[in-house]
Each structure stands twice: as structure tokens, then as C-alpha cells.
Amino acid sequence: MRVTPAGDILTEKVKLLINKEMKVRSILYATLCGLLVTTGFTACSDDDDNDDSWKEGSKVELPQYRAFILCEGMQKQNNSHLFFYDPTEQKLMTDDIYELQNGRKLGDTANDIITANGDIYIVVNVSQLLLRLNGSGVEQARYDRFDADGLGEPRNAVVADGKLFVTCYGGFVARFDLKTLALEAKVTVDANPEQIVELGDSLYCVNSGYGTGHTLSAINVKKFDKAVSHETLFNPYGLQKANGRLYVSAYGADYSNPVGIYDVKTTATKKIGNAGRVLASGDRLYMLNSTSPDWVTYTTTFSVYDATTEGVSAWNLKGAPEAMTTGKVPYFMEVNPVDGSLFIGYTDYFSEGTVYVFDANDSYKATFTVPGINPNGMAFLAR
């Protein structure tokens, strides 16, 4: 699950508002346009409405307000896909937009998608690719020397301080030029770093150790010279931030999917629940947890952790289809920062995915099928 960087759609002031808890997303949306105009949101600008540079090279006409869904596919199958979704019309283009625009496949096991400055960045794990696409999905630059430069397979990415940072399974966080994707520097962390975020002046990543790790590394983003590691949950893979807090997701030694809150001052991690997928927003962490007696039949429950009370309660997704609690399992959660709507992608790991849509008040709106395996992320652009 990837949060769209503020530079793409929102200024920092509006981002802070959007990151308030999901229960007030509708209130934010009611005043959004006025706030965006006063804080310089580009989609409300007549000047930017005339800037069609993001369309250069496109073979299809796309709207200015658009979204993209990444499907990682199955390992060693070379079946990762990128699909275009029209948020206004609520329609999915069933042809792979990357293949359509570039005349070749995306690659094997696309692991992450983020956006910055109107561009799309994709990390393709097994194919060992880092791609920069324009806002239409047309490739602008690529880096394909992860092995040659001793980095190992790429995993996840974040934009910070005008640079692109990528975790690499060789035990590094690598820094790239945002436009050219030229490798600039690398810092050693622990084995098999996974998700990475920026908080304050630091980059934080969790290190899975390919099933044996239990650390979280911190790097000063400006110095980018060394990492300091601290103990966290066993076999961590996910990291999210909200309201100055860091949340760690892990598989755990028994694959019970523990989730913890990491204190950046004390470096301690406190377990707060169990979840396979989480979404951090304001003072709350929304959690979806799937359990199975046989690794075939799954039951999914919805809950929410409140950091102000340190309590966990049921998450009421009003009108949620029964299929969300049985059968497939959740694979990503993403909030549309324009209108506060919530997208939850489900998978069975071997066939096409399903995405459920809820409005800003957590009321069910729609369901659609994604013709790709393992939908794992969604990115929104409005210019």
C-alpha cells in the first residue's frame, strides 16, 4: 500500500488535513476546492489546465484526473500489469496501459508504485527495474543495474528531499536522481529492507531478513551517510506513518501478522493488534486481518486502533459485501486524496483481483474486477 506524496496532488497544508481520520473525510471534501485554491493545488489552476505536457507520447486520450492500479502478478511469470482507472466515470481500462503506451511488458513482480511531480515511479522486484513514467504511463527513464551495482533486488520506494530512495535486498537504501534515475549513493542497512517512509529529517525502513529479521533502520535524509538500526517486530515488511507516528506490520514468527507502533524517541515498538493490511490516517490505524485454519479458506475482520486512547474497536464499513469477509484476502488499501474515497483490493493469489470502493463516510459504493493477479497499489494524479 503506497500514500501519494504531497507534491503530486496536495501541498503540505492540505495533506495534513486529508490525513485526518477517515471518518471526517467527507467534511474535508466539502471544503477541499476552496482550500486547494488558496494553497496552490495545481488541478484548480486555469494555467495548469492548459499544461498537457503529461500527455506527451500517449497513444490514448486520458482525463486530467486519473488513477493507476498496479498488479504484481506471480513470481517468475512476467505478468505484472498497470491499469488505468477513471475516478470520475468510475471505469477501469481493461488493457494494460503500460503495454499499450510502451509496446512491452511491465516485467516480473512489480512491487511498488508512487508518484511525484506528476510522474509515476514503479519498482519491479524480480525484473530488477526502476521506472519513471509520465502522467500517461509513457516511460521516461529506467534503471536496470541493481545487480551490476551490487544493490540486489529493489523492493519499495519513497520520495524525500527532492530525491528517490529505494530499498534493495542486498541490504541497502539507494538514492537516485528523480528525473534521470541515475544512482547517486547508497547506505548499508540490515538484510532485506522492505517498506520505507520519511518522517521528520529521517528515512525509516524495516528489514525482514528474508524471514529472520527484526529491525528498523533510520537514516538522516540530508546526510545520507549511515543507518542506525533498532529492534522491532519479527519479520517486518510494512511501514506507514500518520500524525508523527510510525506503524510496523510484520509476519511474526508464527505468521500471526502482528502490528506495532514504533516510538521514534524511545525506539521501542509496542504491539497493538494483528492485521495483514493496514491504513494509517490521523490518530487511527485501520486494520484488515485474514485468518485461515488451512491456508485455503480465509475469514477477514475489520478493526481500528485509536492512538489517543490506545484502544481497538470494530471498523464499520457500512454495506460491505459479504465477499469481503470470506474467500479472497485484502492486498491493498488506498485513499483517494481528492475526494476521500477508499479503495480496497483483494486477491486469491492466482486469478484476477477485486477492488471494493467506499465513499468518504465508509459507505459501500461499488465493486470492480481488475484483470491482473495480486493488485497491490493504487496512485492518483490530478494534473
Side-chain angles (χ1 to χ4, degrees), residues 295-324:
W295 299 94
V296 177
T297 305
Y298 290 89
T299 300
T300 299
T301 55
F302 316 138
S303 61
V304 58
Y305 168 80
D306 189 325
T308 61
T309 65
E310 299 186 348
V312 177
S313 58
W315 179 15
N316 182 22
L317 285 171
K318 297 178 283 292
E322 185 177 350
M324 292 185 68

Side-chain angles (χ1 to χ4, degrees), residues 165-362:
F165 297 87
V166 178
T167 54
C168 305
Y169 254 17
F172 300 99
V173 172
R175 188 182 71 197
F176 296 87
D177 181 89
L178 203 55
K179 283 292 185 182
T180 66
L181 300 187
L183 175 64
E184 295 182 341
K186 62 183 180 182
V187 168
T188 300
V189 292
D190 294 334
N192 306 100
E194 304 282 356
Q195 198 156 19
I196 182 170
V197 301
E198 177 197 22
L199 183 64
D201 295 327
S202 296
L203 298 169
Y204 295 90
C205 69
V206 289
N207 309 296
S208 71
Y210 209 68
T212 63
H214 44 84
T215 61
L216 179 152
S217 296
I219 306 170
N220 182 285
V221 69
K222 291 189 179 296
K223 294 181 180 179
F224 198 66
D225 55 353
K226 62 180 180 179
V228 178
S229 294
H230 302 283
E231 293 290 314
T232 190
L233 303 176
F234 187 82
N235 196 6
Y237 65 88
L239 192 60
Q240 290 198 26
K241 67 174 183 178
N243 267 15
R245 303 181 183 92
L246 289 179
Y247 297 94
V248 179
S249 297
Y251 292 113
D254 57 357
Y255 287 89
S256 60
N257 297 325
V259 177
I261 184 168
Y262 176 81
D263 190 317
V264 297
K265 294 182 179 179
T266 67
T267 72
T269 302
K270 176 184 177 181
K271 182 185 173 184
I272 58 176
N274 297 81
R277 289 294 179 267
V278 301
L279 175 68
S281 181
D283 291 324
R284 295 190 170 194
L285 184 73
Y286 296 85
M287 302 183 287
L288 303 181
N289 193 40
S290 300
T291 56
S292 173
D294 53 11
W295 299 94
V296 177
T297 305
Y298 290 89
T299 300
T300 299
T301 55
F302 316 138
S303 61
V304 58
Y305 168 80
D306 189 325
T308 61
T309 65
E310 299 186 348
V312 177
S313 58
W315 179 15
N316 182 22
L317 285 171
K318 297 178 283 292
E322 185 177 350
M324 292 185 68
T325 62
T326 59
K328 293 184 177 183
V329 297
Y331 215 57
F332 83 83
M333 284 194 285
E334 200 73 56
V335 172
N336 180 348
V338 175
D339 66 3
S341 55
L342 172 67
F343 292 75
I344 305 177
Y346 273 65
T347 184
D348 60 9
Y349 302 109
F350 60 84
S351 65
E352 59 190 11
T354 304
V355 176
Y356 299 94
V357 187
F358 293 80
D359 67 17
N361 295 308
D362 293 340

